[in-house]
Amino acid sequence: MKRLLLTGFQPFLSHPINPTETIAKGLDSQVIGDFNVSGRVLPVEFGRASEELFAHVEDIEPDVVLLLGLAAGRKKITPERIAINVNDGVKDNAGKTPVDEPIEIDGENGLFSTLPIREMVDSLHKKGIPASISNSAGTYLCNYVMYQMLHYIKKNDFKMKAGFVHLPPSFELVLKEPELTGWPMQTLFDGVKEMILSVGGGYE
Ligand code: PCA
């Protein structure tokens, strides 16, 4: 059976809950479609996040890496098209605030997701779940891990596919931050499972 590494992030900034942490833990060790899923939670820290991510990749040797993060202001599930070679963020959980820094000095300006993002969006729509492709993952931790993962795969000439998906808030988070708009946790779980199934379908 094929292996899929699914990551979420710890809570960060004003958000006391990160639904992607709940999903990574909740789907750990499950079999979904063609995949044995390993769920792991990454720290919201430049540097440490990718060190831990690479350690999980070496340990699990996945065929597919699906990275998840919270986009507190979004109202759909949004597979990201591209990661850019820039760190420029508000404070991470260790207090670092990079300004206009390249992630990899000699790295490419941008790296495209190698997941079937169009099929993922289409299959979410078939299930009645709002989704669209996003053309910017920002310049904070989510863009950082996406760029690092794709760069690492390219540098090592690995066959694995990888990409990033931003999720909207969950009801649990909205209860803590009422100005946000969110979804039932169950719908977020269903959406992530559906994307894993569609990645399985498009994978040779
Ligand atoms: N979302 C942030 C970082 C951690 C997370 O879940 C982002 O969009 O960069």
Side-chain angles (χ1 to χ4, degrees), residues 42-147:
L42 299 175
V44 182
E45 286 178 42
F46 292 105
R48 252 190 76 204
S50 56
E51 283 160 29
E52 293 195 12
L53 174 61
F54 298 157
H56 296 317
V57 168
E58 275 159 34
D59 180 33
I60 294 160
E61 298 184 340
D63 300 285
V64 172
V65 182
L66 177 54
L67 307 158
L68 301 177
L70 166 70
R74 289 196 190 162
K75 296 179 175 61
K76 293 178 186 177
I77 292 183
T78 49
E80 297 293 343
R81 192 188 300 275
I82 189 167
I84 60 172
N85 191 8
V86 180
N87 281 337
D88 183 65
V90 283
K91 238 186 229 170
D92 73 6
N93 285 356
K96 271 174 265 166
T97 53
V99 178
D100 301 338
E101 284 175 12
I103 296 171
E104 289 288 334
I105 298 278
D106 297 318
E108 296 185 50
N109 290 338
L111 292 166
F112 286 115
S113 175
T114 52
L115 298 182
I117 53 173
R118 182 64 61 192
E119 285 83 346
M120 288 156 75
V121 166
D122 289 348
S123 67
L124 286 165
H125 284 169
K126 280 196 192 113
K127 289 274 161 189
I129 298 177
S132 60
I133 291 174
S134 160
N135 293 312
S136 174
T139 52
Y140 191 49
L141 261 295
C142 293
N143 175 73
Y144 173 71
V145 293
M146 181 178 174
Y147 187 92

Side-chain angles (χ1 to χ4, degrees), residues 6-20:
L6 178 72
T7 69
F9 272 112
Q10 288 173 348
F12 63 104
L13 295 173
S14 63
H15 314 305
I17 292 173
N18 193 330
T20 66

